[in-house]
Amino acid sequence: SAAVGGVKAISGINVASLDVPKGKLKLKSTSPDPSIGGEIWTFENGIKVLYKKVPVKGIFSYAFMFRGGAWGISDPKPGELPYIGEILSLYDIGEMSAGDFRAVMDSKGINLEPQITSSDLRFTGTAPVSSLPMLFNGIYSLAYRRNYNSGTFDYYRRCQLLRSETDRRGEYGMAALFDSLSSPQYALSEYRNLQSLSNDTPVKAQEFYEKEFESFSDGLIVLVGDLDAYSLKSYLSEVLWAFGSNTVADKGNPVEHRLVKGRTRLSTGSGNPLAGDGTVSVNVFLANGVPYSLQRYAALSVGANALRRELIAELASHGMYVSVKEDFELRPSEIMSLTVQCRKCTGAGLPAGVGPA
């Protein structure tokens, strides 16, 4: 492969087209960060970088966090949020197709899959130190060079028909069913709902990312690893000049997460269109809105682990698979939950002497 502008060309792709325009910024202030023992660098355009050097040879961890998050999505439908997160990977980037852009990022060990929480949009990962310039090139290009491709979205939408059938038959489908039963009106569910994927979804996604990327100064960039402070400051003063730092007054309104009170029972046997694949299974979901505390979180973890051990001891000899998962959601509401799934194993995967349930 040939060198192009200081970086290598990959299969004929013009990698240099991703370069961030260079300028010059001054470092406005440096202050200690008590959370991880690092430093917070604030540049004159307001962008903040949390830096810490740690003894990990040749790698670094990163996070780009933008304030706002899922609350900034316009009129979200239950189960639409996961699709909006995935749509970012469908954009063509400048003169590159979406696939070529992913190939470039993958070749450098960079993950740019967004995580959309109720309070922020974030990108996190770990990469070789040599990939630092490509990380900033990739973030910049996602923010300012993305182009919607209707053909790519149409193909993606068709693929979701097959994916939804696979989802329905496994643990994911059962968890999604529990979520829809306990919080049917919650607009920011983390579980996909194919009925909420429409031609309006990419429009909402474009509006959301446009708003989130408008300002890098109301979020935080975290860089931790084998990075030299002096060299990093010099590099950041050149590239952060190009990133937007406009003040965004409104990034959305809070969305309430309310649980349905009471209990319900549902058969997921053969022919049920909601979840399950007709095999023998017992599934239980418990949830309650309670104020978070470290003691409650610890009690939930200990209780879930004890239940997991008891169920495995009781059901393993009968050819049953056990999954126990606990969660303590903090935003937008403090909710404690426990999910228990007991499913029949296939005979081919069982040890000698153990038959299917």
Side-chain angles (χ1 to χ4, degrees):
S1 57
V4 180
V7 295
K8 290 183 178 180
I10 301 173
S11 302
I13 302 171
N14 182 13
V15 180
S17 67
L18 299 176
D19 287 354
V20 179
K22 299 290 179 64
K24 197 67 177 177
L25 274 179
K26 291 182 180 179
L27 181 62
K28 184 178 179 182
S29 66
T30 299
S31 58
D33 173 70
S35 61
I36 64 171
E39 294 180 340
I40 295 180
W41 302 337
T42 303
F43 291 83
E44 61 180 325
N45 62 354
I47 296 179
K48 295 180 177 63
V49 177
L50 172 55
Y51 162 81
K52 183 177 181 180
K53 185 174 178 64
V54 296
V56 285
K57 185 68 173 177
I59 62 171
F60 73 102
S61 296
Y62 59 88
F64 289 75
M65 296 179 284
F66 303 84
R67 184 170 58 84
W71 289 349
I73 298 172
S74 175
D75 190 27
K77 299 177 183 178
E80 190 176 27
L81 174 61
Y83 298 119
I84 288 177
E86 292 177 350
I87 281 175
L88 188 61
S89 68
L90 305 182
Y91 287 102
D92 293 339
I93 304 297
E95 61 189 61
M96 290 187 190
S97 68
D100 285 348
F101 179 72
R102 283 196 302 275
V104 172
M105 293 300 112
D106 289 345
S107 73
K108 297 294 183 178
I110 296 170
N111 172 32
L112 290 183
E113 293 181 11
Q115 304 162 48
I116 306 175
T117 73
S118 59
S119 58
D120 62 32
L121 164 68
R122 63 182 64 176
F123 301 85
T124 61
T126 299
V129 169
S130 59
S131 296
L132 179 72
M134 187 58 74
L135 170 63
F136 278 84
N137 291 349
I139 287 287
Y140 180 87
S141 296
L142 273 180
Y144 306 117
R145 293 172 174 147
R146 67 187 186 280
N147 301 301
Y148 174 65
N149 186 322
S150 60
T152 304
F153 175 74
D154 289 343
Y155 175 75
Y156 168 81
R157 192 173 180 180
R158 292 195 300 272
C159 289
Q160 300 316 300
L161 293 172
L162 298 174
R163 187 189 197 183
S164 65
E165 181 62 22
T166 303
D167 285 348
R168 185 183 72 82
R169 293 177 176 273
E171 283 188 44
Y172 184 94
M174 191 60 63
L177 178 60
F178 285 146
D179 183 72
S180 65
L181 289 172
S182 63
S183 309
Q185 301 303 316
Y186 182 43
L188 300 181
S189 169
E190 64 181 289
Y191 297 101
R192 295 180 290 271
N193 181 349
L194 188 61
Q195 294 179 343
S196 295
L197 180 61
S198 69
N199 289 331
D200 290 335
T201 304
V203 177
K204 295 178 184 180
Q206 175 63 10
E207 293 175 349
F208 169 70
Y209 290 118
E210 195 73 33
K211 193 186 313 183
E212 287 292 294
F213 288 133
E214 189 173 355
S215 176
F216 279 70
S217 61
D218 66 356
L220 182 66
I221 300 172
V222 181
L223 300 170
V224 177
D226 187 17
L227 296 166
D228 175 71
Y230 180 82
S231 300
L232 182 59
K233 286 178 184 177
S234 177
Y235 173 73
L236 293 176
S237 69
E238 292 182 350
V239 296
L240 291 183
W241 166 87
F243 288 79
S245 57
N246 299 323
T247 300
V248 181
D250 180 23
K251 283 200 172 183
N253 300 312
V255 175
E256 204 168 12
H257 187 181
R258 287 186 178 180
L259 293 171
V260 173
K261 294 182 179 180
R263 66 177 67 181
T264 186
R265 183 174 180 176
L266 181 68
S267 170
T268 59
S270 180
N272 189 298
L274 297 175
D277 55 6
T279 59
V280 175
S281 65
V282 178
N283 308 276
V284 179
F285 176 74
L286 305 171
N288 192 25
V290 294
Y292 174 84
S293 70
L294 188 58
Q295 291 80 3
R296 285 195 176 104
Y297 179 76
L300 176 64
S301 298
V302 171
N305 190 49
L307 179 60
R308 184 181 300 110
R309 291 170 63 93
E310 288 296 317
L311 287 174
I312 290 174
E314 181 66 28
L315 298 177
S317 62
H318 299 287
M320 295 289 287
Y321 161 78
V322 174
S323 171
V324 178
K325 295 180 180 179
E326 71 276 13
D327 186 41
F328 211 132
E329 180 181 297
L330 299 181
R331 296 188 65 171
S333 304
E334 296 177 335
I335 297 174
M336 176 191 292
S337 64
L338 183 71
T339 305
V340 181
Q341 298 190 44
C342 305
R343 302 170 62 86
K344 183 176 70 172
C345 297
T346 60
L350 294 173
V354 178

